[in-house]
Amino acid sequence: MNASVGLVLMVAAGGALGGMARLAITNLFARWVGTAFPWGTLFVNLSGALLAGALAGWFGLARGGEMTGGWLFLVVGLLGGYTTVSSLSLQSLTLWQSGHRRGAIGNVAVTLVAGLALAAFGWWLTGRLT
Amino acid sequence: MNGWRAYAAVGLGSALGTTLRYLVSLATHATLGPAFPWGTLAVNLLGSWLIAAFAAYAALRVGGRVARWQPFLVAGFCGGFTTFSLFSLETLFLLELGRPGLALLYVLLSVPLWLAAAWWGDRFVRARHA
């Protein structure tokens, strides 16, 4: 497993683009529906899970060792940087601490259940999940 | 921090976080093997702790260095470092490999630990800097 400089740079470039896309989308959602509930992060994580599943099917289950440059750029870099667990955790904690306990539990539960379902659906769509 | 400067800060932070996540996953892959996604579990835990610690610190020291660097540190670094899409994919990979018990264990370990890490990061900073 050698981390060649070229592959690391592809991961970094994907991560930069993914992070900026996440910022743009969370800003848009904040403007549209306010910041009382983290709709932007929810959208980012669900859409990212769907796309990651679709790419896993497309790349034919790129598993373990043989990671191509395309997989590293698009999935590990771009979608990995686009989606986030840290914001999910912080925003759920903040909702809980400000008394919105159902919102906090709902945020975690919907992200988890819908995220896994969408990733599986994306994978199935591109034709590999048996 | 507005406009293109926020995007530049988030893009740079996310590139760094994403690269570090990739290196952590390579390292855990090489040392602990590919059977369980230790790398993603570790970065999601650490990132959840860090984001809550940064947010608490910025809230206590308004206008301080952490507050000014928040787009780089929070939406950038923590956002790129942690990942929901790879978490979803790894869960599906474990199912696909015929390891439903490990997939369930991964999910049941991850979610409470993400939230506990954020709670602890918040507590850790508030206890020391209140």
Side-chain angles (χ1 to χ4, degrees), chain B residues 18-126:
Chain B
T18 300
T19 303
L20 199 57
R21 164 165 48 76
Y22 175 54
L23 297 178
V24 167
S25 80
L26 287 181
T28 54
H29 218 83
T31 52
L32 301 169
F36 193 78
W38 293 110
T40 306
L41 183 63
V43 297
N44 281 340
L45 282 188
L46 192 57
S48 294
W49 189 93
L50 273 176
I51 196 173
F54 285 145
Y57 202 90
L60 292 169
R61 302 275 157 87
V62 180
R65 203 177 301 154
V66 171
R68 274 182 284 128
W69 283 74
Q70 213 168 2
F72 173 80
L73 294 171
V74 171
F77 181 82
C78 291
F81 190 51
T82 61
T83 175
F84 181 75
S85 49
L86 292 176
F87 161 78
S88 309
L89 274 189
E90 287 157 351
T91 307
L92 295 183
F93 284 153
L94 289 173
L95 287 174
E96 176 79 1
L97 288 171
R99 311 297 303 270
L102 266 188
L104 189 66
L105 180 72
Y106 184 42
V107 173
L108 292 181
L109 259 177
S110 291
V111 179
L113 287 176
W114 298 342
L115 297 171
W119 177 82
W120 181 33
D122 180 67
R123 269 310 191 73
F124 183 85
V125 168
R126 287 183 194 280

